[in-house]
Amino acid sequence: MVQSFFQVALFLFLIILAYVLKRLGIFTQRDGTTLSNITLNITLPAAIIASFNTFTMDYSLLLLILTGIGVNVVLMGISYLAMHRTNSQLKAYALLCGSTYNIGNFAFPFVQALSGPTALVAASLFDLGNALMTTGLTYSLAASTAGGTRPDTKDLVKKLFTSVPFITYLLMLGLSFASIHLPAFLQNWMLAIGKANPIIAMLMIGFMLDIRFERSWIHYSLVLLSIRYVLAVAFAFLFIRFTDFAPVIKSTVALVVFSPVASSSVAFTDKISDQGKLASFTSSLSVMVSIICYTVLSVFLT
């Protein structure tokens, strides 16, 4: 418990340090984008490979993919109902920012540092379902709701299969099913590279935090975030209480459902509607709330 607390305290220090250095002008938000690209394309895939390579696949864990899809569907439906009296642009914003999770850049560093390879595999499977919703169904429905045309199916498939983490999930899942393991030297390389992921990701979060806002944004953000985190409590309770997974799997899923809004949802909202700045504010606010939730939960769940 004490070790988990100090690990989270280190992460908080890195986020605050990065944010302060950005405010002082030493770094910019563009540096956060650079670190995000490094995380998503280098250190995160390496951490995923290292975790899957030492893991013996339990087929029951494939239910975590359905869990990732299911919680997104519930969040999406309730968020839409909460905004049903608003205009189509805000409804599209609700679909994208009321559901979807930032697992790769936010949850993985905590899970990787606090719970180890098995937990990272569980989070990866959950994120596989989450990614299918974020880049597929949720984005498509939001685009239609905003008054535009549905994104081309080929474009959606391209977005998924040009995502390095998504490809890594599928590759390592296939190797796990086939009981194929990478050579020891490659495993060691992936471990070494993957260890950099938590630090880079926390600095990235600090650089990309943006808390500038208009007063009218607060209401909409609070509505969606209230739905997200109240349901997160319900999801975590139900998963811990009514599933037969190992404790480390239960605690991992209970943690990741408190993750912030997916960063891609902000980009999608900006692309299909005029609510991009509102989505960015909601995302930043969700990061701060999730940091508090993770700090508290890490003491009890790890």
Side-chain angles (χ1 to χ4, degrees):
M1 183 182 295
V2 174
Q3 183 179 356
S4 297
F5 176 80
F6 281 111
Q7 185 67 61
V8 173
L10 170 61
F11 288 167
L12 288 174
F13 170 75
L14 290 171
I15 293 170
I16 294 170
L17 175 64
Y19 181 75
V20 170
L21 292 176
K22 184 186 75 168
R23 297 290 293 177
L24 292 174
I26 298 174
F27 295 98
T28 67
Q29 193 160 347
R30 184 178 299 177
D31 296 307
T33 302
T34 300
L35 290 183
S36 177
N37 288 331
I38 292 173
T39 298
L40 290 175
N41 295 300
I42 301 175
T43 59
L44 175 58
I48 294 169
I49 291 170
S51 298
F52 268 93
N53 196 49
T54 58
F55 182 75
T56 301
M57 177 55 67
D58 179 352
Y59 290 97
S60 68
L61 291 180
L62 294 178
L63 290 173
L64 297 180
I65 300 175
L66 296 179
T67 303
I69 293 172
V71 296
N72 269 275
V73 170
V74 173
L75 282 170
M76 186 170 58
I78 295 178
S79 296
Y80 182 85
L81 289 175
M83 293 283 193
H84 77 282
R85 293 183 179 178
T86 61
N87 61 49
S88 59
Q89 305 289 299
L90 285 170
K91 289 176 184 175
Y93 149 77
L95 288 171
L96 284 164
C97 294
S99 60
T100 78
Y101 294 100
N102 186 344
I103 304 294
N105 278 336
F106 189 91
F108 275 175
F110 286 93
V111 171
Q112 180 183 356
L114 296 173
S115 303
T118 300
L120 197 59
V121 169
S124 298
L125 293 172
F126 180 93
D127 193 37
L128 191 55
N130 175 62
L132 289 170
M133 289 296 296
T134 302
T135 313
L137 180 61
T138 306
Y139 177 34
S140 180
L141 288 176
S144 297
T145 300
T149 58
R150 286 176 179 262
D152 185 71
T153 302
K154 291 182 179 179
D155 181 53
L156 296 177
V157 173
K158 182 180 178 181
K159 286 182 183 296
L160 279 173
F161 286 91
T162 54
S163 165
V164 176
F166 187 80
I167 294 171
T168 306
Y169 293 152
L170 296 183
L171 175 63
M172 296 310 297
L173 201 56
L175 292 178
S176 295
F177 286 149
S179 298
I180 298 174
H181 297 283
L182 301 177
F185 78 91
L186 192 54
Q187 169 71 8
N188 291 334
W189 287 2
M190 294 300 102
L191 276 172
I193 297 171
K195 284 180 180 178
N197 188 59
I199 293 176
I200 294 175
M202 292 303 107
L203 292 173
M204 179 273 298
I205 290 171
F207 289 150
M208 298 189 77
L209 268 181
D210 187 2
I211 54 176
R212 292 173 294 178
F213 63 93
E214 296 178 10
R215 183 173 297 180
S216 61
W217 297 350
I218 296 176
H219 169 72
Y220 297 122
S221 294
L222 289 180
V223 168
L224 292 190
L225 295 186
S226 296
I227 292 170
R228 287 182 69 92
Y229 292 102
V230 168
L231 285 180
V233 173
F235 292 149
F237 172 78
L238 291 172
F239 196 82
I240 290 175
R241 181 70 177 82
F242 295 106
T243 66
D244 295 324
F245 290 108
V248 66
I249 305 297
K250 290 184 177 184
S251 62
T252 298
V253 173
L255 194 64
V256 298
V257 293
F258 286 89
S259 299
V261 177
S263 54
S264 58
S265 288
V266 178
F268 290 155
T269 304
D270 187 55
K271 182 177 180 179
I272 65 173
S273 74
D274 58 5
Q275 301 299 323
K277 291 183 179 180
L278 170 59
S280 179
F281 170 67
T282 304
S283 176
S284 292
L285 194 59
S286 73
V287 168
M288 291 186 280
V289 175
S290 290
I291 289 170
I292 296 171
C293 292
Y294 270 54
T295 301
V296 174
L297 291 171
S298 65
V299 175
F300 296 101
L301 294 177
T302 59

Coordinates of all heavy atoms in Angstrom, one line a residue, residues 159-205:
K159 N -8.1 3.9 -39.7 CA -7.7 4.5 -38.5 C -7.3 3.4 -37.4 O -6.3 3.6 -36.7 CB -8.8 5.3 -37.9 CG -9.1 6.7 -38.6 CD -10.2 7.5 -38.0 CE -10.4 8.7 -38.7 NZ -9.3 9.6 -38.7
L160 N -8.1 2.3 -37.4 CA -7.7 1.2 -36.5 C -6.4 0.6 -36.8 O -5.6 0.4 -35.9 CB -8.9 0.2 -36.5 CG -10.1 0.5 -35.6 CD1 -11.2 -0.5 -35.9 CD2 -9.8 0.6 -34.1
F161 N -6.2 0.2 -38.1 CA -5.1 -0.6 -38.5 C -3.9 0.3 -38.8 O -2.9 -0.3 -39.3 CB -5.5 -1.5 -39.6 CG -6.3 -2.7 -39.2 CD1 -7.7 -2.6 -39.2 CD2 -5.7 -3.8 -38.7 CE1 -8.5 -3.6 -38.7 CE2 -6.5 -4.9 -38.2 CZ -7.9 -4.8 -38.3
T162 N -3.9 1.6 -38.6 CA -2.7 2.4 -38.6 C -2.4 2.8 -37.2 O -1.4 3.6 -37.0 CB -2.9 3.6 -39.5 OG1 -4.1 4.4 -39.1 CG2 -3.0 3.2 -41.0
S163 N -3.1 2.3 -36.2 CA -2.8 2.6 -34.8 C -1.8 1.5 -34.3 O -2.1 0.3 -34.3 CB -4.1 2.5 -33.9 OG -3.8 2.4 -32.6
V164 N -0.6 1.9 -33.9 CA 0.4 1.0 -33.5 C 0.0 0.2 -32.3 O 0.2 -1.1 -32.3 CB 1.8 1.7 -33.3 CG1 2.8 0.7 -32.8 CG2 2.3 2.4 -34.6
P165 N -0.6 0.8 -31.3 CA -1.0 0.0 -30.1 C -2.1 -1.1 -30.5 O -2.0 -2.2 -30.1 CB -1.6 1.0 -29.1 CG -0.9 2.3 -29.5 CD -0.7 2.2 -31.0
F166 N -3.0 -0.7 -31.4 CA -4.1 -1.6 -31.8 C -3.5 -2.8 -32.6 O -3.8 -4.0 -32.3 CB -5.1 -0.9 -32.7 CG -6.3 -1.8 -33.0 CD1 -7.3 -1.9 -32.1 CD2 -6.4 -2.4 -34.2 CE1 -8.4 -2.7 -32.4 CE2 -7.5 -3.2 -34.6 CZ -8.5 -3.3 -33.6
I167 N -2.6 -2.5 -33.5 CA -1.9 -3.6 -34.2 C -1.1 -4.5 -33.3 O -1.1 -5.7 -33.4 CB -1.0 -3.0 -35.3 CG1 -1.8 -2.3 -36.4 CG2 -0.1 -4.1 -36.0 CD1 -0.9 -1.5 -37.3
T168 N -0.4 -3.9 -32.3 CA 0.3 -4.6 -31.3 C -0.6 -5.6 -30.5 O -0.2 -6.7 -30.2 CB 1.1 -3.7 -30.3 OG1 1.9 -2.8 -31.1 CG2 2.0 -4.5 -29.4
Y169 N -1.8 -5.1 -30.1 CA -2.7 -5.9 -29.4 C -3.0 -7.2 -30.2 O -2.9 -8.3 -29.7 CB -4.0 -5.2 -29.2 CG -4.0 -4.0 -28.2 CD1 -5.0 -3.0 -28.4 CD2 -3.1 -3.9 -27.2 CE1 -5.0 -1.9 -27.6 CE2 -3.2 -2.8 -26.3 CZ -4.1 -1.8 -26.5 OH -4.1 -0.7 -25.7
L170 N -3.4 -7.0 -31.4 CA -3.8 -8.1 -32.3 C -2.6 -9.1 -32.5 O -2.8 -10.3 -32.5 CB -4.3 -7.6 -33.6 CG -5.6 -6.7 -33.6 CD1 -6.0 -6.3 -35.0 CD2 -6.7 -7.5 -32.9
L171 N -1.4 -8.5 -32.8 CA -0.3 -9.3 -33.0 C 0.1 -10.2 -31.8 O 0.2 -11.4 -31.9 CB 0.9 -8.5 -33.4 CG 2.3 -9.2 -33.5 CD1 2.2 -10.2 -34.7 CD2 3.4 -8.2 -33.8
M172 N 0.1 -9.6 -30.6 CA 0.5 -10.3 -29.4 C -0.6 -11.3 -29.0 O -0.3 -12.3 -28.4 CB 0.9 -9.3 -28.3 CG 2.1 -8.5 -28.6 SD 3.6 -9.4 -29.2 CE 3.9 -10.5 -27.7
L173 N -1.8 -10.9 -29.3 CA -3.0 -11.8 -28.9 C -2.8 -13.0 -29.8 O -3.0 -14.2 -29.3 CB -4.3 -11.1 -29.2 CG -5.5 -11.6 -28.5 CD1 -5.4 -11.7 -27.0 CD2 -6.7 -10.7 -28.9
G174 N -2.5 -12.9 -31.1 CA -2.4 -14.0 -32.0 C -1.2 -14.9 -31.5 O -1.3 -16.1 -31.5
L175 N -0.1 -14.3 -31.2 CA 1.1 -15.1 -30.7 C 0.8 -15.8 -29.4 O 1.2 -16.9 -29.2 CB 2.3 -14.2 -30.5 CG 2.9 -13.5 -31.8 CD1 4.1 -12.6 -31.4 CD2 3.4 -14.6 -32.7
S176 N 0.0 -15.2 -28.5 CA -0.4 -15.8 -27.3 C -1.3 -17.0 -27.5 O -1.1 -18.1 -26.9 CB -1.1 -14.8 -26.4 OG -0.3 -13.8 -26.0
F177 N -2.2 -16.9 -28.4 CA -3.1 -18.1 -28.8 C -2.3 -19.2 -29.4 O -2.6 -20.4 -29.1 CB -4.1 -17.6 -29.8 CG -5.3 -16.8 -29.3 CD1 -5.9 -15.9 -30.0 CD2 -5.7 -17.0 -27.9 CE1 -6.9 -15.1 -29.5 CE2 -6.7 -16.2 -27.4 CZ -7.3 -15.3 -28.2
A178 N -1.2 -18.9 -30.1 CA -0.4 -19.9 -30.7 C 0.7 -20.4 -29.8 O 1.6 -21.2 -30.2 CB 0.2 -19.4 -32.0
S179 N 0.8 -19.8 -28.6 CA 1.8 -20.2 -27.6 C 3.2 -19.9 -28.2 O 4.2 -20.7 -28.0 CB 1.7 -21.6 -27.2 OG 0.5 -21.8 -26.6
I180 N 3.4 -18.8 -29.0 CA 4.7 -18.5 -29.5 C 5.2 -17.3 -28.7 O 4.6 -16.3 -28.4 CB 4.5 -18.0 -31.0 CG1 4.0 -19.2 -31.9 CG2 5.9 -17.5 -31.5 CD1 3.7 -18.8 -33.3
H181 N 6.5 -17.5 -28.3 CA 7.1 -16.4 -27.5 C 8.3 -15.9 -28.2 O 9.0 -16.5 -29.0 CB 7.6 -17.0 -26.1 CG 6.5 -17.5 -25.3 ND1 5.6 -16.7 -24.6 CD2 6.0 -18.8 -25.1 CE1 4.7 -17.4 -23.9 NE2 4.9 -18.7 -24.2
L182 N 8.6 -14.6 -28.0 CA 9.7 -13.9 -28.6 C 11.0 -14.4 -28.0 O 11.1 -14.8 -26.8 CB 9.6 -12.4 -28.5 CG 8.3 -11.8 -29.1 CD1 8.3 -10.3 -28.8 CD2 8.2 -12.0 -30.6
P183 N 12.1 -14.2 -28.7 CA 13.5 -14.6 -28.2 C 13.8 -13.8 -26.9 O 13.3 -12.6 -26.8 CB 14.4 -14.3 -29.3 CG 13.6 -14.3 -30.5 CD 12.2 -13.8 -30.1
A184 N 14.6 -14.3 -26.0 CA 14.9 -13.7 -24.8 C 15.5 -12.3 -25.0 O 15.2 -11.4 -24.2 CB 15.9 -14.6 -24.0
F185 N 16.4 -12.1 -25.9 CA 17.1 -10.8 -26.1 C 16.0 -9.8 -26.5 O 16.1 -8.6 -26.1 CB 18.2 -10.9 -27.2 CG 17.7 -10.9 -28.6 CD1 17.6 -9.7 -29.3 CD2 17.4 -12.1 -29.2 CE1 17.2 -9.7 -30.6 CE2 17.0 -12.1 -30.5 CZ 16.9 -10.9 -31.3
L186 N 15.0 -10.2 -27.3 CA 14.0 -9.2 -27.8 C 13.1 -8.9 -26.6 O 12.7 -7.7 -26.5 CB 13.2 -9.8 -28.9 CG 12.3 -8.9 -29.7 CD1 13.1 -7.6 -30.2 CD2 11.6 -9.6 -30.9
Q187 N 12.8 -9.8 -25.8 CA 12.0 -9.6 -24.6 C 12.7 -8.6 -23.7 O 12.1 -7.7 -23.1 CB 11.8 -10.9 -23.8 CG 11.2 -10.8 -22.4 CD 9.7 -10.3 -22.4 OE1 9.1 -10.3 -23.5 NE2 9.2 -10.0 -21.3
N188 N 14.0 -8.7 -23.5 CA 14.8 -7.8 -22.7 C 14.8 -6.4 -23.3 O 14.7 -5.4 -22.5 CB 16.2 -8.3 -22.5 CG 16.3 -9.6 -21.7 OD1 15.4 -9.8 -20.8 ND2 17.3 -10.4 -21.9
W189 N 14.9 -6.3 -24.6 CA 14.8 -5.0 -25.2 C 13.5 -4.3 -25.0 O 13.4 -3.1 -24.7 CB 15.0 -5.1 -26.7 CG 16.4 -5.5 -27.1 CD1 17.5 -5.7 -26.3 CD2 16.9 -5.6 -28.5 NE1 18.6 -5.9 -27.1 CE2 18.3 -5.9 -28.4 CE3 16.3 -5.6 -29.7 CZ2 19.1 -6.2 -29.5 CZ3 17.1 -5.8 -30.9 CH2 18.5 -6.1 -30.8
M190 N 12.4 -5.1 -25.2 CA 11.1 -4.5 -25.0 C 10.8 -4.1 -23.5 O 10.2 -3.1 -23.3 CB 10.0 -5.6 -25.4 CG 10.0 -5.9 -26.9 SD 9.7 -4.5 -28.0 CE 11.4 -4.2 -28.6
L191 N 11.4 -4.9 -22.6 CA 11.2 -4.5 -21.2 C 11.9 -3.2 -20.9 O 11.4 -2.3 -20.2 CB 11.9 -5.6 -20.3 CG 11.0 -6.8 -19.9 CD1 11.8 -7.9 -19.2 CD2 9.8 -6.4 -19.1
A192 N 13.1 -3.0 -21.5 CA 13.9 -1.8 -21.2 C 13.2 -0.6 -21.8 O 13.1 0.4 -21.2 CB 15.3 -2.0 -21.8
I193 N 12.7 -0.7 -23.0 CA 12.0 0.4 -23.7 C 10.7 0.7 -23.0 O 10.4 1.8 -22.7 CB 11.8 0.1 -25.2 CG1 13.1 -0.1 -25.9 CG2 10.9 1.2 -25.8 CD1 12.9 -0.6 -27.3
G194 N 10.0 -0.4 -22.6 CA 8.7 -0.2 -21.9 C 8.8 0.5 -20.6 O 7.8 1.1 -20.2
K195 N 9.9 0.3 -19.9 CA 10.1 0.9 -18.6 C 10.0 2.5 -18.7 O 9.7 3.1 -17.7 CB 11.4 0.5 -17.9 CG 11.3 -1.0 -17.4 CD 12.6 -1.4 -16.8 CE 12.6 -2.8 -16.2 NZ 13.8 -3.2 -15.6
A196 N 10.3 3.0 -19.8 CA 10.3 4.5 -20.0 C 8.9 5.0 -20.2 O 8.6 6.2 -20.0 CB 11.1 4.9 -21.2
N197 N 7.9 4.1 -20.4 CA 6.6 4.5 -20.8 C 5.9 5.3 -19.7 O 5.3 6.4 -20.0 CB 5.7 3.3 -21.1 CG 4.4 3.7 -21.7 OD1 4.3 4.4 -22.7 ND2 3.3 3.3 -21.0
P198 N 5.9 4.9 -18.4 CA 5.2 5.7 -17.4 C 5.7 7.1 -17.2 O 4.9 8.1 -17.1 CB 5.4 4.9 -16.1 CG 5.7 3.5 -16.6 CD 6.4 3.6 -17.8
I199 N 7.0 7.3 -17.2 CA 7.6 8.6 -17.0 C 7.3 9.5 -18.2 O 6.8 10.7 -18.0 CB 9.1 8.5 -16.9 CG1 9.4 7.8 -15.5 CG2 9.8 9.9 -16.9 CD1 10.9 7.6 -15.3
I200 N 7.4 9.0 -19.4 CA 7.1 9.8 -20.6 C 5.7 10.2 -20.7 O 5.3 11.3 -21.0 CB 7.6 9.1 -21.9 CG1 9.1 8.9 -22.0 CG2 7.1 9.8 -23.2 CD1 9.6 8.1 -23.1
A201 N 4.8 9.2 -20.3 CA 3.4 9.5 -20.4 C 2.9 10.5 -19.4 O 2.1 11.4 -19.7 CB 2.6 8.2 -20.1
M202 N 3.5 10.5 -18.2 CA 3.1 11.5 -17.2 C 3.6 12.9 -17.5 O 2.8 13.9 -17.3 CB 3.7 11.1 -15.8 CG 3.2 9.8 -15.2 SD 1.4 9.9 -14.9 CE 0.8 8.8 -16.2
L203 N 4.8 13.0 -18.1 CA 5.2 14.3 -18.6 C 4.3 14.8 -19.7 O 4.0 16.0 -19.8 CB 6.7 14.2 -19.1 CG 7.7 13.9 -18.0 CD1 9.1 13.7 -18.6 CD2 7.8 15.1 -17.0
M204 N 3.9 13.9 -20.6 CA 3.1 14.3 -21.7 C 1.7 14.8 -21.2 O 1.2 15.8 -21.7 CB 2.8 13.0 -22.6 CG 1.9 13.2 -23.8 SD 0.1 13.0 -23.3 CE 0.2 11.3 -22.9
I205 N 1.2 14.2 -20.2 CA -0.1 14.6 -19.6 C 0.0 16.0 -19.1 O -0.8 16.9 -19.3 CB -0.6 13.7 -18.5 CG1 -1.0 12.3 -19.1 CG2 -1.7 14.3 -17.7 CD1 -1.3 11.3 -18.1

